[in-house]
Amino acid sequence: MMAMAPGDRRRSRRARGGLPGWASPWRPLLLVLALTLAACAPPPPRGNVILITIDTLRADHLSAYGYGLATSPRLAALAEQGLLFENAFSASSCTAPSHASLFTGRLPSFHTVGAFNSKFVLEPEEVTLAELLQDRGIATAAVVSNPVLARRLGLDQGFASYDDQMSGRERNREVVEQGVDEALAKARAVLAELDEPFFFWLHLQDPHGPYDPPPAAPELATRPIEPPELPVGEDHSGFGALPRYQVLGDERRTSEYVRRYDREIAYLDRRLGDWLDELRGTPGGARTRLMVTSDHGEALGEDGFFFAHGHSVGLDQVQVPLIMVGEGLPAGRRIAEPVSNVGLFASVLDFFDIAAPEGAPPPPERQPEVPVFVESLGQVGVAWQGSFLRRDRLPADHSAWQEPNPTTGGFWKPLGRESLSLGGLPVAAPSADDLLTAFLRRARAGMKDAAERRHTELPQDPEEIRRLRALGYAN
């Protein structure tokens, strides 16, 4: 977080030979000219932005969102200092498409990663948030903790520093990843070297399964959940059974897995809270805007799925936390209108006085009353005027219905249609169906365009599929 001191910058200029003319008789005239040009130049970008994405985090299991257990008192305290969005949605229920949408400002059907989790890359032709910032002289850096986000996916575009090195492993998986402590240690080191203004993205893997909280995690009560126990599934889908990658020892009680999920959240909350306290004490802390969200949620029995994600766009999958704190934002304000966290793309650009590309979702802090669309391979949904509607894609809408699911070895499971009210807000008119129908027409055109722009497909050899299955991903 340490910026180069003015004296250091002057020494750097002198080391390069200084500025021509400053020791000459023309100096007074040059000084007037320099001051005139400085007055005409646009003001330098203000402050810094830190975007924190927390993997697999349901909004309704956080204290600030009304959960009955103290899973996240530090995030709740953070929310009191800024904006909390009560009905925020991620673009997708899988890590890769959701993050690709965050960094392009485009929903999955409209970028080259698509709704697939580890099949296509973000092509170099895509314009990313980090590239737009870097072009304006803003320092960029990232630390990621999920192997799906490794630089081969293409999200490193525009980041001067992109740390995707991971050495940790969950106890029943061979897949490398890293926990919150290692990630935060790296974040401290990165921020110590960044000049202001900067944009820093920190991705935290906890509480992604398997849920194996460290011994130091806060103790929490169990929450009753049906059925009381589950068999071990034959695959990782989580449909009516424990996903194989989630199974820890002889434990079969669903309530115990939920408790472990909550404890992972609580440990992350404690460690992240400590780090944020440190951040406030740094010279640039007061000039830094924080944005905290998640890429997707986790099923805890909804639709018959347990401890899994990616299979739908139900609220358990795509309703995520969104907290924004920093200078210029009101404190203690809760916003009920549905928003997409994809709008953070425009929020960051707006913070640095950079115009967002045409078509990007508006910043969520502006409370736009616009439809919020979400996508998975098998479903689409829309939050609109206080309601949320989701339904299955038709076979013509996506090739996923013709492709085997590499996790289960079978095909995607239709889940039907569901309409829900959001937090007591007025239920929408039937026009939500019309909105989804119109969106799907645009999405088909977007997928066709994205397919024509794809040049690279990630290898899907048996070893890669095995790694995907070990992560619990469905594609």
Short mmCIF file of all heavy atoms in Angstrom, two decimals, residues 430-460:
data_model
loop_
_atom_site.label_atom_id
_atom_site.label_comp_id
_atom_site.label_asym_id
_atom_site.label_seq_id
_atom_site.Cartn_x
_atom_site.Cartn_y
_atom_site.Cartn_z
N PRO A 430 -46.61 -10.30 -14.75
CA PRO A 430 -46.15 -11.41 -15.59
C PRO A 430 -45.13 -11.02 -16.64
O PRO A 430 -44.59 -11.88 -17.32
CB PRO A 430 -47.45 -11.90 -16.25
CG PRO A 430 -48.53 -11.46 -15.32
CD PRO A 430 -48.07 -10.17 -14.74
N SER A 431 -44.81 -9.72 -16.76
CA SER A 431 -43.86 -9.29 -17.77
C SER A 431 -42.47 -9.88 -17.54
O SER A 431 -41.62 -9.82 -18.43
CB SER A 431 -43.75 -7.77 -17.79
OG SER A 431 -43.32 -7.28 -16.54
N ALA A 432 -42.20 -10.44 -16.36
CA ALA A 432 -40.90 -11.08 -16.13
C ALA A 432 -40.67 -12.20 -17.12
O ALA A 432 -39.55 -12.41 -17.59
CB ALA A 432 -40.82 -11.60 -14.70
N ASP A 433 -41.72 -12.96 -17.46
CA ASP A 433 -41.58 -14.00 -18.49
C ASP A 433 -41.20 -13.39 -19.83
O ASP A 433 -40.37 -13.93 -20.56
CB ASP A 433 -42.89 -14.78 -18.61
CG ASP A 433 -42.93 -15.98 -17.68
OD1 ASP A 433 -41.98 -16.79 -17.71
OD2 ASP A 433 -43.89 -16.10 -16.91
N ASP A 434 -41.83 -12.27 -20.16
CA ASP A 434 -41.51 -11.60 -21.42
C ASP A 434 -40.07 -11.11 -21.42
O ASP A 434 -39.38 -11.18 -22.44
CB ASP A 434 -42.46 -10.42 -21.65
CG ASP A 434 -43.91 -10.87 -21.81
OD1 ASP A 434 -44.13 -12.03 -22.23
OD2 ASP A 434 -44.81 -10.06 -21.52
N LEU A 435 -39.60 -10.61 -20.27
CA LEU A 435 -38.22 -10.16 -20.17
C LEU A 435 -37.24 -11.31 -20.41
O LEU A 435 -36.24 -11.15 -21.12
CB LEU A 435 -37.97 -9.55 -18.80
CG LEU A 435 -38.58 -8.17 -18.53
CD1 LEU A 435 -38.45 -7.82 -17.06
CD2 LEU A 435 -37.93 -7.12 -19.40
N LEU A 436 -37.55 -12.48 -19.83
CA LEU A 436 -36.66 -13.64 -20.03
C LEU A 436 -36.68 -14.10 -21.48
O LEU A 436 -35.63 -14.46 -22.03
CB LEU A 436 -37.08 -14.79 -19.11
CG LEU A 436 -36.50 -14.79 -17.71
CD1 LEU A 436 -36.92 -16.05 -16.96
CD2 LEU A 436 -34.99 -14.68 -17.73
N THR A 437 -37.84 -14.09 -22.10
CA THR A 437 -37.93 -14.50 -23.49
C THR A 437 -37.11 -13.58 -24.39
O THR A 437 -36.37 -14.03 -25.26
CB THR A 437 -39.40 -14.51 -23.96
OG1 THR A 437 -40.12 -15.46 -23.15
CG2 THR A 437 -39.51 -14.91 -25.42
N ALA A 438 -37.23 -12.27 -24.15
CA ALA A 438 -36.46 -11.31 -24.94
C ALA A 438 -34.96 -11.46 -24.66
O ALA A 438 -34.13 -11.37 -25.58
CB ALA A 438 -36.92 -9.89 -24.63
N PHE A 439 -34.62 -11.71 -23.39
CA PHE A 439 -33.21 -11.90 -23.06
C PHE A 439 -32.63 -13.12 -23.78
O PHE A 439 -31.51 -13.07 -24.29
CB PHE A 439 -33.03 -12.06 -21.55
CG PHE A 439 -31.64 -12.46 -21.15
CD1 PHE A 439 -30.61 -11.53 -21.16
CD2 PHE A 439 -31.35 -13.77 -20.79
CE1 PHE A 439 -29.32 -11.90 -20.81
CE2 PHE A 439 -30.07 -14.14 -20.45
CZ PHE A 439 -29.05 -13.20 -20.45
N LEU A 440 -33.38 -14.20 -23.83
CA LEU A 440 -32.89 -15.40 -24.47
C LEU A 440 -32.65 -15.18 -25.96
O LEU A 440 -31.73 -15.77 -26.54
CB LEU A 440 -33.86 -16.56 -24.25
CG LEU A 440 -33.81 -17.16 -22.84
CD1 LEU A 440 -34.96 -18.13 -22.63
CD2 LEU A 440 -32.47 -17.86 -22.60
N ARG A 441 -33.46 -14.33 -26.59
CA ARG A 441 -33.21 -14.03 -28.00
C ARG A 441 -31.87 -13.32 -28.15
O ARG A 441 -31.07 -13.65 -29.03
CB ARG A 441 -34.33 -13.15 -28.56
CG ARG A 441 -35.62 -13.90 -28.86
CD ARG A 441 -36.52 -13.09 -29.79
NE ARG A 441 -36.94 -11.82 -29.18
CZ ARG A 441 -38.06 -11.67 -28.48
NH1 ARG A 441 -38.86 -12.71 -28.28
NH2 ARG A 441 -38.38 -10.49 -27.98
N ARG A 442 -31.60 -12.36 -27.26
CA ARG A 442 -30.31 -11.67 -27.31
C ARG A 442 -29.17 -12.61 -26.95
O ARG A 442 -28.08 -12.53 -27.53
CB ARG A 442 -30.32 -10.47 -26.36
CG ARG A 442 -31.35 -9.41 -26.69
CD ARG A 442 -31.09 -8.11 -25.94
NE ARG A 442 -31.07 -8.27 -24.50
CZ ARG A 442 -32.13 -8.23 -23.72
NH1 ARG A 442 -33.34 -8.05 -24.25
NH2 ARG A 442 -32.02 -8.35 -22.41
N ALA A 443 -29.44 -13.49 -25.98
CA ALA A 443 -28.40 -14.42 -25.55
C ALA A 443 -28.00 -15.38 -26.67
O ALA A 443 -26.81 -15.71 -26.82
CB ALA A 443 -28.86 -15.20 -24.32
N ARG A 444 -28.97 -15.84 -27.45
CA ARG A 444 -28.62 -16.73 -28.57
C ARG A 444 -27.69 -16.03 -29.54
O ARG A 444 -26.71 -16.61 -30.01
CB ARG A 444 -29.90 -17.17 -29.29
CG ARG A 444 -30.77 -18.12 -28.49
CD ARG A 444 -31.95 -18.62 -29.31
NE ARG A 444 -32.99 -19.15 -28.43
CZ ARG A 444 -34.18 -18.60 -28.28
NH1 ARG A 444 -34.52 -17.51 -28.96
NH2 ARG A 444 -35.06 -19.14 -27.45
N ALA A 445 -28.01 -14.77 -29.84
CA ALA A 445 -27.14 -14.01 -30.75
C ALA A 445 -25.77 -13.79 -30.11
O ALA A 445 -24.73 -13.88 -30.78
CB ALA A 445 -27.79 -12.67 -31.09
N GLY A 446 -25.76 -13.50 -28.78
CA GLY A 446 -24.50 -13.31 -28.08
C GLY A 446 -23.64 -14.56 -28.08
O GLY A 446 -22.42 -14.50 -28.28
N MET A 447 -24.25 -15.73 -27.86
CA MET A 447 -23.49 -16.98 -27.85
C MET A 447 -22.92 -17.29 -29.23
O MET A 447 -21.80 -17.80 -29.34
CB MET A 447 -24.38 -18.12 -27.36
CG MET A 447 -24.62 -18.10 -25.86
SD MET A 447 -25.50 -19.56 -25.27
CE MET A 447 -27.17 -19.18 -25.80
N LYS A 448 -23.68 -16.97 -30.26
CA LYS A 448 -23.17 -17.19 -31.62
C LYS A 448 -21.97 -16.31 -31.89
O LYS A 448 -20.95 -16.76 -32.44
CB LYS A 448 -24.28 -16.90 -32.63
CG LYS A 448 -23.86 -17.14 -34.07
CD LYS A 448 -25.00 -16.86 -35.04
CE LYS A 448 -24.56 -17.07 -36.48
NZ LYS A 448 -25.65 -16.76 -37.45
N ASP A 449 -22.06 -15.04 -31.49
CA ASP A 449 -20.94 -14.12 -31.68
C ASP A 449 -19.73 -14.57 -30.86
O ASP A 449 -18.59 -14.55 -31.36
CB ASP A 449 -21.36 -12.72 -31.26
CG ASP A 449 -20.21 -11.73 -31.32
OD1 ASP A 449 -19.74 -11.43 -32.43
OD2 ASP A 449 -19.76 -11.28 -30.24
N ALA A 450 -19.95 -15.00 -29.60
CA ALA A 450 -18.84 -15.45 -28.76
C ALA A 450 -18.18 -16.68 -29.35
O ALA A 450 -16.95 -16.82 -29.32
CB ALA A 450 -19.34 -15.73 -27.34
N ALA A 451 -18.98 -17.60 -29.90
CA ALA A 451 -18.42 -18.81 -30.50
C ALA A 451 -17.52 -18.48 -31.68
O ALA A 451 -16.49 -19.12 -31.89
CB ALA A 451 -19.55 -19.74 -30.94
N GLU A 452 -17.91 -17.44 -32.44
CA GLU A 452 -17.08 -17.05 -33.59
C GLU A 452 -15.79 -16.39 -33.15
O GLU A 452 -14.80 -16.39 -33.90
CB GLU A 452 -17.89 -16.10 -34.48
CG GLU A 452 -19.07 -16.77 -35.17
CD GLU A 452 -19.97 -15.77 -35.91
OE1 GLU A 452 -19.74 -14.56 -35.74
OE2 GLU A 452 -20.87 -16.22 -36.63
N ARG A 453 -15.76 -15.83 -31.94
CA ARG A 453 -14.56 -15.16 -31.44
C ARG A 453 -13.65 -16.08 -30.65
O ARG A 453 -12.56 -15.67 -30.24
CB ARG A 453 -14.95 -13.96 -30.57
CG ARG A 453 -15.60 -12.84 -31.37
CD ARG A 453 -15.87 -11.60 -30.52
NE ARG A 453 -16.98 -11.79 -29.59
CZ ARG A 453 -16.87 -11.80 -28.27
NH1 ARG A 453 -15.68 -11.67 -27.71
NH2 ARG A 453 -17.92 -11.95 -27.50
N ARG A 454 -14.05 -17.31 -30.42
CA ARG A 454 -13.23 -18.24 -29.65
C ARG A 454 -12.15 -18.83 -30.52
O ARG A 454 -12.40 -19.33 -31.61
CB ARG A 454 -14.09 -19.37 -29.09
CG ARG A 454 -14.97 -18.95 -27.92
CD ARG A 454 -15.75 -20.13 -27.36
NE ARG A 454 -16.59 -19.72 -26.26
CZ ARG A 454 -17.90 -19.94 -26.19
NH1 ARG A 454 -18.51 -20.60 -27.17
NH2 ARG A 454 -18.60 -19.52 -25.16
N HIS A 455 -10.93 -18.80 -29.99
CA HIS A 455 -9.80 -19.41 -30.68
C HIS A 455 -9.19 -20.54 -29.86
O HIS A 455 -8.45 -21.36 -30.40
CB HIS A 455 -8.71 -18.37 -30.96
CG HIS A 455 -9.22 -17.10 -31.55
ND1 HIS A 455 -9.89 -17.06 -32.75
CD2 HIS A 455 -9.15 -15.82 -31.11
CE1 HIS A 455 -10.22 -15.80 -33.02
NE2 HIS A 455 -9.79 -15.03 -32.03
N THR A 456 -9.48 -20.57 -28.56
CA THR A 456 -8.80 -21.50 -27.66
C THR A 456 -9.81 -22.23 -26.80
O THR A 456 -10.68 -21.60 -26.19
CB THR A 456 -7.80 -20.76 -26.74
OG1 THR A 456 -6.96 -19.94 -27.54
CG2 THR A 456 -6.98 -21.74 -25.94
N GLU A 457 -9.70 -23.53 -26.75
CA GLU A 457 -10.51 -24.33 -25.84
C GLU A 457 -9.57 -24.99 -24.84
O GLU A 457 -8.54 -25.56 -25.21
CB GLU A 457 -11.31 -25.39 -26.59
CG GLU A 457 -12.22 -26.20 -25.71
CD GLU A 457 -13.18 -27.11 -26.49
OE1 GLU A 457 -13.37 -26.84 -27.68
OE2 GLU A 457 -13.71 -28.05 -25.89
N LEU A 458 -9.91 -24.87 -23.57
CA LEU A 458 -9.07 -25.48 -22.55
C LEU A 458 -9.07 -26.98 -22.70
O LEU A 458 -10.10 -27.58 -23.04
CB LEU A 458 -9.57 -25.09 -21.16
CG LEU A 458 -9.38 -23.61 -20.79
CD1 LEU A 458 -10.13 -23.29 -19.51
CD2 LEU A 458 -7.92 -23.27 -20.65
N PRO A 459 -7.94 -27.62 -22.49
CA PRO A 459 -7.88 -29.08 -22.65
C PRO A 459 -8.82 -29.79 -21.70
O PRO A 459 -8.90 -29.45 -20.52
CB PRO A 459 -6.42 -29.42 -22.34
CG PRO A 459 -5.92 -28.27 -21.52
CD PRO A 459 -6.66 -27.06 -22.01
N GLN A 460 -9.54 -30.77 -22.20
CA GLN A 460 -10.48 -31.54 -21.38
C GLN A 460 -10.09 -33.01 -21.39
O GLN A 460 -10.89 -33.90 -21.66
CB GLN A 460 -11.91 -31.36 -21.92
CG GLN A 460 -12.43 -29.93 -21.86
CD GLN A 460 -12.62 -29.47 -20.43
OE1 GLN A 460 -13.31 -30.11 -19.65
NE2 GLN A 460 -12.01 -28.35 -20.08
#
